[in-house]
Amino acid sequence: MLEKTYSPADVEARLYGRWEKSGAFACAPESNAQPYTIMMPPPNVTGSLHMGHALTMTVQDILTRYNRMAGRDALWQPGTDHAGIATQMVVERNLAADGIDRRDIGREAFIDKVWEWKGQSGGTIVNQLRRLGASPDWERERFTMDEGLSKAVLKVFVQLHKEGLIYRDKRLVNWDPKMVTAISDLEVEPKEVDGNLWHFRYPLESDPSKHIIVATTRPETMLGDTAIAVHPEDERYKDLIGQYAILPLVGRRIPIIGDEYADPEQGSGAVKITPAHDFNDFEVGKRHNLEMINIMDARAHLNDEVPEKYRGMERFAARKAVVSDLDEAGLLEKIEPHRHTVPHGDRGGVPLEPWLTDQWYCDAATLAKPAIEAVETGKTVFVPKNWEKTYFEWMRNIQPWCISRQLWWGHQIPAWYGPDGEVFVAESAEEAVAAAETHYGKAVELTRDEDVLDTWFSSALWPFSTLGWPDKTPELERYYPGDVLVTGFDIIFFWVARMMMMGLHFMKEVPFHTVYIHALVRDAKGQKMSKSKNNVIDPLDLIETYGTDALRFTLAAMAAQGRDIKLAEGRVEGYRNFATKIWNAARFCEMNGCKVDPNFDPAACTETVNRWIVGEVARTADAVAGSLEAYKFNEAAAALYQFFWGTFCDWYLEFTKPILQTPEGGTEHPSAAETRATTAWALNRALHLLHPIMPYITEELWASFGEEADQLLVSRPWPALSSDLIDATASAEMDWVVRLISEVRSIRAEMNVPPSAQIPLLLVGANAETAERAKKYGDLLTRLARLSSIETGGSAPAGAVQGVLDEATLVLPIADVIDIAQERARLAKEIAKAEGEMAKIDKKLSNQGFLAKAPEEVVEENKDRLAEETERRDRLAAALSRLEQVG
C-alpha cells in the first residue's frame, strides 16, 4: 500500500542507487540499436551545482531518458574539466592557509597537491548531478587531465604546429596581474566604476608653447605613448597630421597621425596611442607601424622602459605620481568625473591589464572556415535558429586564439627551447631531444616551456577525445558525431565554435548535428542572479524543500525557446503540488482496486468514457514525443500537466467514480472491471510519459502499477500507441461533457453563485444529438456542475444568465440565488481597477525615457503585466455583459 504522502527525501537516494547498480545508464556499443549521443559540457572540477547547471543538465537528462526509452542506444558522456585557473586558485588558497606559497614547494610538488585535492574534493559537482537525477553513463566518466585526454591534447598541438596553425607571437592579451597569467575573454568581467577623465597638454615639437590636448582614463600608460591620433577629417587638427609632439615626463618625440579610430565627438578629439597597453591602440599601432613599448612587468609594476623615478611603482601608485607631476609641470588641463567600464579578472578580481607579451596562438581564422560552412549548409543547426547569427558574427571576425597560460595546473605546452631559443615541438621529451640533436648535430640541454594550455583547448577536443581518439576505438566509430549539444549562449564562442573547428579538422565531420541553446535562469523579477544582488537561488535548497522532480518539472515547463526563465520559488512549490496530485491519484487508483490486467486491450473498451481516455493517452504520448524531438520542453511539460491534472484527474477519475465505487449494499457496475483495467493502463502509460522529466516519483509508483514491476521504469520502452486508439465519437461526446461542465462552472464563478446552490439548466435550441447527450450524461452533469436538473427546449425565463455551447444556449436562472445589484457593482469596480492598472503600465511603456533606461527584462515584464490586466478586464467585462441579461 502506498504511503499517505510522497516523501522525495525517502525515495530519491534509494532509487538512484538502484538505477546505477542496475546498469540502466550504460550505453551498449555492441547493440544494433541506433546510437544517440549527447556530450555533457564538463563542469569545472571546482564547481558546485548552480541554477544554470540544473537547467542544462535537466534538459540533457530529459533527452537521454526519452531516447533511451524510445529504443536508441543512448550515450550521455559525462566528465569534468580541470579548470586551470580556478583549480590553481583553490589549491593556492588552501596552501596559503598553512603558510605555504606554491613557489616555495616547486611545480612538481604543487601539481601533486592539486591531484590530491582533486581526489578528495573534486567530485562535489558530480555527486550533486546525481542528486538532480542525471543519468549519464558514469562508468565512462572522463577528466580533461586524464591520461587519454592528455594524449589527445599533445597529438593535436603537435599536428597543428606542424601545419603552421599553432605559432608563437608577440601580441596584446588580457593579463591578470594578481594571477600572473593571460586569461581568455570568457574570464573577463566588465565592471562599471567611478573614475576620472584626465586632460593633458602635450607640447608640439615645432612650438613647445602650443599644445595638443588628449584625454585618458589611464594616466600611467602615457609613459608608453608612441603617437597621438586625430581623425583625418577633423578640421581642428588637419594641419597637425605628420607633425610631432613631445611626450611629457619622458621627452620622447611622438608623431601626430590621422586615423579614423579617433572620434571627433569624444573628449578633445585627440587620443594618445599606447600600442602595448590598449587593444584598440595596438591595432592603430600595427596600421601605422608604431613602436610598441611595454612599460609594465607581469605584476603591473612599471619597468625600466619608463623614467627612473617611476620604475618599480605599482600601476595605481604610478597613476597618482604621473598626474601630480603633470599638474606641477602645468600640463594638466582638467579632470572630469567619468563612469566607465573596466575589465576585471573573474578569478583574481582585480582590473586587467592589456599587456604585450610572447604567447602561443592558434590560427582560429583558418580553422573557422569549415566550421562556418558547416552551419551555412545545415550540417549543424542551432535551436533556436537566431543563435546562428551570433555564431556567424563571431566566427567571421575571429581573432588569433591565445592558447597559453602562465599557470602550473593544466596541460603543459609540449615545446622545448634550445640554447639559442630554437623551439622543438614534440609529443614527448625524448622526441624533442632527438629533434634537437639532429638540428644542432650534437646533444644540447633543452628547457621546456613552462606555460600550460588554455582550458578551452582540451575542452575543444571533448566530443572525440572522450571516445578514445587518437586511437581508433569502437566507441569513436559508433558515437561520433553526436546528435545534440545542449549549452548556454555564453559559451557559443568559447566552446561550441572551438569544438566545431577541432572536430572538422581532426574528424572531418561536425561534432554534433544540433546545438540547442537554452535560456538563462533569472530571478522572479527577471534579473540575472548574482551574489552581489543577493538573489541567487540554490537548486539544492529547492531539491531539499520540494524534491528533485518538482525542480526538474519547473525548469522544463519554463524552458520556452528564446525566453529566459524567471524562476520564483512559488513555481517550484506549485509543481511540488503537481507531484502530490500524481501521488494522490495513484493512491485513489490503488484504493479502488485499479490493477494492471496483462490481458487488457485498450482497443477493445466498450464504455465511452474508457474509449475516450485511451484516445487521450495516445494523443498525449504523440504530443510529448513530438515536443521533445523539437526541443520544445515547455510544450511537453504542458501536455503532461494538462493530461494528468486535467484530463485524467479532474475529469476521467471524476467521471468514473460511480463506476468504480459500488454503493454499500448495491451491485457492481457492469463496466467496473473494464474501467479498473483502463484506469490502471492509463496511469501506467502516464508514468512512462512523465518519467523523462519526473523520474523519481514515476519510478516509485511504477513499482505498484507497472505491468512488470520487477523491471525498472527507467529501462522500459516508450509507449507505442497507434492513432487508431483515438475514437472520434467518444472524443466528441466526452469533449462536449467537459465543455458543458466547464462553461456552467465558469458562469457560476463569474456570477458569484454560492457553491452549495443547485440551479436548473435549460438548453435552448439544442439539436437532437445535444438532447441525447444531455439525457445520457444527465447524472454526471448534475453532479459535477451542481445542477438541480437539465431540460432541453423552451425559451429563457426572466432572471437567467446565458452562455453558448455549440448550437445550444445555456440558460441558468440565478436571480434567486445572488444579489444582482451587488454583483453588478463588484464587477464594475474590478473592471475600473484593471483599467487603472492598464493605464499606468501603458503610460510607462509609452515613455521613451523609461524604454531607453530600463533593462530589457523590466520592459518585457511590464508588457506581460499589461497583457494580463487586459485579459482580466475583458473577462470581467464579458461577465458584466452576461449579468446585464439577467436584469
Side-chain angles (χ1 to χ4, degrees):
M1 189 72 179
L2 293 173
E3 296 291 332
K4 187 173 181 181
T5 57
Y6 174 60
S7 175
D10 296 336
V11 167
E12 292 175 359
R14 168 169 52 81
L15 283 183
Y16 199 90
R18 280 192 68 196
W19 286 333
E20 269 204 274
K21 190 176 179 181
S22 74
F25 302 162
C27 63
E30 305 302 322
S31 78
N32 294 321
Q34 184 183 358
Y36 180 83
T37 311
I38 294 184
M39 287 286 161
M40 177 187 289
N44 286 355
V45 71
T46 58
S48 59
L49 194 71
H50 57 62
M51 208 45 89
H53 287 136
L55 174 61
T56 191
M57 296 301 177
T58 295
V59 165
Q60 289 172 71
D61 193 53
I62 290 169
L63 290 171
T64 302
R65 287 177 183 268
Y66 165 70
N67 280 281
R68 193 183 282 136
M69 294 174 80
R72 303 281 294 272
D73 170 25
L75 168 62
W76 183 13
Q77 173 63 54
T80 50
D81 190 279
H82 65 280
I85 195 166
T87 305
Q88 181 155 324
M89 275 185 66
V90 169
V91 178
E92 283 198 55
R93 274 201 304 265
N94 292 345
L95 290 173
D98 296 329
I100 301 171
D101 185 286
R102 67 179 165 96
R103 295 165 192 82
D104 297 335
I105 61 174
R107 181 174 192 143
E108 201 169 312
F110 176 76
I111 290 174
D112 286 342
K113 291 286 185 185
V114 180
W115 279 109
E116 185 182 317
W117 173 88
K118 195 259 180 188
Q120 293 172 354
S121 308
T124 299
I125 184 70
V126 167
N127 291 328
Q128 290 172 339
L129 291 179
R130 285 177 163 89
R131 294 224 39 206
L132 190 66
S135 64
D137 190 342
W138 289 117
E139 292 295 316
R140 295 178 178 273
E141 184 181 347
R142 302 304 299 269
F143 177 54
T144 48
M145 287 280 287
D146 71 28
E147 187 178 341
L149 270 65
S150 296
K151 178 183 176 182
V153 167
L154 291 173
K155 181 87 173 175
V156 165
F157 187 98
V158 171
Q159 183 171 328
L160 291 177
H161 182 264
K162 282 180 182 175
E163 295 171 2
L165 296 173
I166 281 181
Y167 56 92
R168 259 179 95 71
D169 196 9
K170 187 182 287 290
R171 294 176 61 90
L172 277 191
V173 295
N174 295 305
W175 186 264
D176 188 325
K178 181 177 179 182
M179 302 304 299
V180 198
T181 181
I183 66 172
S184 74
D185 291 340
L186 183 66
E187 294 158 323
V188 176
E189 185 178 342
K191 290 185 180 179
E192 287 282 320
V193 300
D194 290 315
N196 291 311
L197 195 60
W198 287 271
H199 295 252
F200 299 135
R201 303 187 191 102
Y202 285 31
L204 298 178
E205 181 187 45
S206 59
D207 184 354
S209 66
K210 294 181 179 178
H211 304 85
I212 184 168
I213 297 172
V214 300
T216 181
T217 59
R218 306 185 65 221
E220 67 279 10
T221 63
M222 61 84 63
L223 301 172
D225 287 358
T226 56
I228 295 170
V230 297
H231 195 281
E233 304 301 321
D234 192 331
E235 294 295 336
R236 296 171 294 177
Y237 301 117
K238 263 189 174 181
D239 294 343
L240 293 180
I241 295 174
Q243 295 190 38
Y244 288 83
I246 303 300
L247 182 62
L249 306 182
V250 178
R252 185 168 62 244
R253 68 198 290 265
I254 57 176
I256 300 170
I257 59 175
D259 194 284
E260 291 185 355
Y261 167 62
D263 184 351
E265 305 297 321
Q266 294 290 321
S268 64
V271 292
K272 58 190 276 311
I273 301 299
T274 320
H277 293 283
D278 183 276
F279 287 100
N280 291 315
D281 293 5
F282 179 76
E283 297 301 325
V284 174
K286 286 201 299 183
R287 285 197 291 272
H288 296 272
N289 200 28
L290 299 175
E291 187 179 4
M292 300 193 180
I293 303 173
N294 188 350
I295 64 167
M296 292 188 194
D297 66 16
R299 294 190 176 275
H301 289 66
L302 272 59
N303 62 22
D304 290 349
E305 292 290 343
V306 301
E308 189 171 353
K309 173 181 179 179
Y310 307 104
R311 291 173 190 172
M313 279 189 181
E314 189 275 331
R315 55 183 166 165
F316 297 117
R319 175 178 295 183
K320 292 178 181 177
V322 165
V323 171
S324 175
D325 291 348
L326 286 170
D327 188 20
E328 192 175 317
L331 298 176
L332 176 59
E333 174 77 10
K334 62 179 178 177
I335 304 174
E336 295 177 319
H338 182 63
R339 187 165 179 80
H340 62 294
T341 301
V342 175
H344 286 62
D346 69 346
R347 303 292 180 184
V350 300
L352 297 174
E353 199 59 53
W355 200 48
L356 188 65
T357 179
D358 289 309
Q359 300 285 343
W360 287 93
Y361 288 89
C362 183
D363 182 357
T366 297
L367 291 172
K369 289 174 185 173
I372 292 169
E373 186 266 345
V375 176
E376 286 175 334
T377 57
K379 292 174 185 171
T380 294
V381 297
F382 280 74
V383 179
K385 194 171 178 63
N386 61 287
W387 288 112
E388 290 181 6
K389 182 181 178 185
T390 304
Y391 174 84
F392 287 137
E393 282 178 358
W394 190 72
M395 292 288 270
R396 289 167 180 160
N397 296 285
I398 200 167
Q399 297 297 307
W401 172 16
C402 176
I403 57 174
S404 47
R405 298 289 181 268
Q406 289 63 55
L407 303 171
W408 284 356
W409 173 244
H411 294 100
Q412 192 170 353
I413 288 174
W416 287 260
Y417 299 97
D420 58 355
E422 183 71 23
V423 64
F424 300 93
V425 171
E427 290 184 43
S428 67
E430 291 75 19
E431 289 181 22
V433 166
E437 283 191 19
T438 301
H439 175 78
Y440 292 111
K442 60 179 181 179
V444 297
E445 187 175 340
L446 298 180
T447 304
R448 185 166 184 178
D449 195 311
E450 292 194 352
D451 290 355
V452 299
L453 285 163
D454 175 15
T455 298
W456 295 104
F457 190 89
S458 51
S459 298
L461 317 181
W462 190 253
F464 53 94
S465 64
T466 52
L467 299 174
W469 187 93
D471 297 334
K472 291 184 177 179
T473 65
E475 289 83 0
L476 189 65
E477 177 71 24
R478 181 167 175 78
Y479 299 113
Y480 187 96
D483 289 81
V484 61
L485 176 78
V486 176
T487 189
F489 68 87
D490 51 339
I491 54 173
I492 290 176
F493 316 136
F494 305 102
W495 192 46
V496 178
R498 286 165 180 166
M499 284 190 289
M500 289 286 287
M501 291 190 283
M502 293 299 192
L504 283 160
H505 193 77
F506 288 95
M507 296 296 296
K508 310 307 177 189
E509 282 188 83
V510 293
F512 24 73
H513 299 304
T514 302
V515 180
Y516 173 73
I517 302 294
H518 62 69
L520 189 69
V521 185
R522 298 179 178 272
D523 71 6
K525 296 179 181 177
Q527 298 183 85
K528 191 172 181 178
M529 292 186 196
S530 70
K531 290 179 181 176
S532 61
K533 292 178 183 174
N534 196 31
N535 67 343
V536 175
I537 302 172
D538 187 335
L540 294 170
D541 289 343
L542 295 177
I543 287 172
E544 287 287 344
T545 307
Y546 303 109
T548 300
D549 288 330
L551 175 61
R552 288 171 60 112
F553 200 91
T554 303
L555 294 170
M558 301 183 78
Q561 290 181 11
R563 293 203 69 175
D564 285 345
I565 292 173
K566 294 179 185 176
L567 186 66
E569 189 168 338
R571 292 296 294 267
V572 186
E573 184 179 10
Y575 289 122
R576 188 273 310 276
N577 295 342
F578 179 47
T580 300
K581 186 78 169 180
I582 294 169
W583 188 263
N584 289 342
R587 287 188 76 244
F588 173 85
C589 295
E590 185 180 58
M591 289 187 292
N592 283 278
C594 301
K595 296 179 180 177
V596 171
D597 179 352
N599 299 314
F600 175 73
D601 178 5
C605 289
T606 58
E607 191 72 34
T608 302
V609 71
N610 292 332
R611 297 203 309 276
W612 167 68
I613 198 64
V614 164
E616 291 303 301
V617 171
R619 282 187 216 274
T620 304
D622 186 57
V624 173
S627 296
L628 293 180
E629 286 165 10
Y631 307 103
K632 295 180 179 179
F633 302 96
N634 62 312
E635 292 184 10
L640 288 164
Y641 187 91
Q642 183 179 347
F643 170 78
F644 203 97
W645 193 307
T647 305
F648 185 68
C649 293
D650 287 355
W651 297 116
Y652 179 71
L653 294 185
E654 288 298 326
F655 290 164
T656 57
K657 274 181 182 177
I659 300 175
L660 295 174
Q661 298 173 341
T662 305
E664 191 173 342
T667 57
E668 186 174 79
H669 194 285
S671 296
E674 178 192 293
T675 302
R676 289 192 182 99
T678 306
T679 303
W681 178 89
L683 175 62
N684 177 290
R685 294 301 177 272
L687 295 178
H688 279 77
L689 303 182
L690 282 160
H691 180 78
I693 302 179
M694 303 180 83
Y696 286 114
I697 192 169
T698 53
E699 187 73 76
E700 183 72 356
L701 290 173
W702 172 260
S704 297
F705 292 94
E707 296 107 326
E708 296 168 318
D710 57 321
Q711 292 186 19
L712 289 166
L713 178 57
V714 67
S715 302
R716 294 289 298 166
W718 187 259
L721 302 175
S722 168
S723 58
D724 293 343
L725 292 175
I726 300 172
D727 184 312
T729 302
S731 294
E733 274 193 27
M734 299 316 300
D735 173 66
W736 179 87
V737 171
V738 167
R739 288 188 295 121
L740 187 143
I741 295 169
S742 298
E743 180 67 10
V744 172
R745 286 175 174 175
S746 176
I747 293 172
R748 291 181 65 117
E750 287 172 359
M751 301 298 124
N752 255 358
V753 175
S756 60
Q758 291 195 330
I759 52 179
L761 169 65
L762 179 63
L763 295 170
V764 177
N767 60 25
E769 184 179 49
T770 296
E772 177 59 31
R773 286 173 177 172
K775 182 179 178 182
K776 180 178 179 180
Y777 296 103
D779 290 344
L780 204 60
L781 297 171
T782 55
R783 177 167 60 91
L784 296 179
R786 295 182 181 274
L787 300 171
S788 58
S789 63
I790 303 175
E791 294 182 12
T792 57
S795 58
V801 67
Q802 298 179 15
V804 175
L805 184 68
D806 300 335
E807 86 295 345
T809 301
L810 279 60
V811 180
L812 293 162
I814 60 169
D816 295 336
V817 293
I818 65 167
D819 185 326
I820 293 174
Q822 183 178 315
E823 285 306 309
R824 189 182 289 125
R826 179 184 66 82
L827 288 169
K829 183 179 178 182
E830 288 295 318
I831 290 169
K833 184 178 176 183
E835 288 179 338
E837 284 296 313
M838 288 165 59
K840 278 199 298 187
I841 301 167
D842 193 50
K843 184 179 180 182
K844 192 182 286 187
L845 291 173
S846 301
N847 183 331
Q848 292 304 313
F850 168 77
L851 294 176
K853 293 179 183 176
E856 184 181 347
E857 59 266 20
V858 173
V859 175
E860 288 302 317
E861 187 178 342
N862 276 274
K863 288 180 179 177
D864 289 344
R865 281 183 55 219
L866 181 60
E868 287 169 8
E869 288 297 329
T870 303
E871 186 202 359
R872 180 166 166 265
R873 186 274 315 272
D874 292 347
R875 185 165 36 80
L876 291 165
L880 183 59
S881 176
R882 270 182 173 163
L883 195 60
E884 298 296 346
Q885 303 166 9
V886 180

